Amino acid sequence: CYTKDAEGYFVDNDGKRAVDKWRSLVVHEMFHTLGFSHGKFLHAKSPDGSSKKLIELLPVTDLDGLSDRVWHFRNGTRAYAAAQDFFDCHDGDSPGWQGLPL
C-alpha cells in the first residue's frame, strides 16, 4: 500500500519511494515497447551469417521459491556490457548474478 509523503511522492510502508523502487522495471518494460525482445537477440546474426549467441536460457528461482527459466544476456557480449552499465549491475553485486534477464 502506498501513501504520499510530504513532498508528494508515493512511498511504501518503509518510506521507500515508488519511483525509486520501480524505476528499473519501468525502463526494462519500455525497452520491450521499443521492439527489444528476446527474439531479436536470439536470432541476431554475425556478418558471416552465424548466430551471435547473445542470449541463453538460464534457470532461476522465483520469489515464491518455484523454478523457472529466463532469457539472459550472455557474458562477454556488447549487449551484456551495455545493459550491465546502464542498470548498474555488476558481477559482485549479488551472489549468483548471471547477467541481466530479458
Side-chain angles (χ1 to χ4, degrees):
C1 182
Y2 288 95
T3 57
K4 283 191 176 184
D5 67 8
E7 297 176 50
Y9 288 98
F10 285 101
V11 295
D12 63 15
N13 293 334
D14 296 325
K16 185 168 185 178
R17 291 179 177 173
V19 67
D20 296 329
K21 182 175 182 179
W22 299 107
R23 180 178 285 117
S24 62
L25 174 66
V26 171
V27 170
H28 170 100
E29 295 305 327
M30 287 175 62
F31 281 127
H32 286 303
T33 66
L34 293 172
F36 294 94
S37 67
H38 79 280
K40 299 285 186 191
F41 292 104
L42 183 63
H43 300 295
K45 304 288 184 197
S46 295
D48 66 5
S50 64
S51 173
K52 286 188 172 184
K53 298 182 181 167
L54 297 175
I55 61 174
E56 61 185 328
L57 199 54
L58 297 174
V60 296
T61 303
D62 293 334
L63 294 175
D64 59 9
L66 297 175
S67 294
D68 202 350
R69 291 169 39 111
V70 177
W71 290 104
H72 286 71
F73 289 114
R74 292 173 51 98
N75 194 349
T77 63
R78 289 184 305 167
Y80 178 100
Q84 186 179 42
D85 287 342
F86 183 84
F87 290 106
D88 195 26
C89 295
H90 300 280
D91 293 344
D93 287 350
S94 127
W97 192 84
Q98 297 174 309
L100 297 162
L102 294 176

